[in-house]
Amino acid sequence: MIEHVITSCVPAKRLGWIDHAMGVAMAQWVNFEPHKSGGTRIYTWGDLVHSGVNIEGRSVEQLLTSFTETWYGNFRRACDSLFLGSAAPDSFAEPCADFL
């Protein structure tokens, strides 16, 4: 179980939250900025605090890196697909549940 607490929400500008799970706490922020092409530039960063936890032989940093690369890669492809108005079926253009 992961507990999420929203710490900052400014629609169309930024979102921040803290996650707590299995002895690990992580603060994350996502910012949205207009892009000169007419789209939106999204950038994110986070801070991780843990007590040396390993899960199935992998460090929290390894798990977080793998999850982040997969989730944000899928998120980027879905946003690009929506922005480009792709009519072709694209598994990445499904609702956000696919990213979790």
Side-chain angles (χ1 to χ4, degrees), residues 8 12 17 19 21 39 57 67 79 81 84 87 92 95 97:
S8 175
W17 64 92
D19 299 325
F67 172 81
C79 290
S81 177
L84 297 173
F92 296 114

Side-chain angles (χ1 to χ4, degrees), residues 8-17 29-35 39-45 71-72 75 79:
S8 175
C9 182
V10 180
K13 296 288 183 187
R14 70 180 163 272
L15 178 63
W17 64 92
W29 296 270
V30 180
N31 286 353
F32 305 89
E33 295 178 348
H35 192 275
T40 302
R41 178 178 184 258
I42 301 170
Y43 63 95
T44 183
W45 71 96
W71 198 95
Y72 283 103
F75 182 61
C79 290

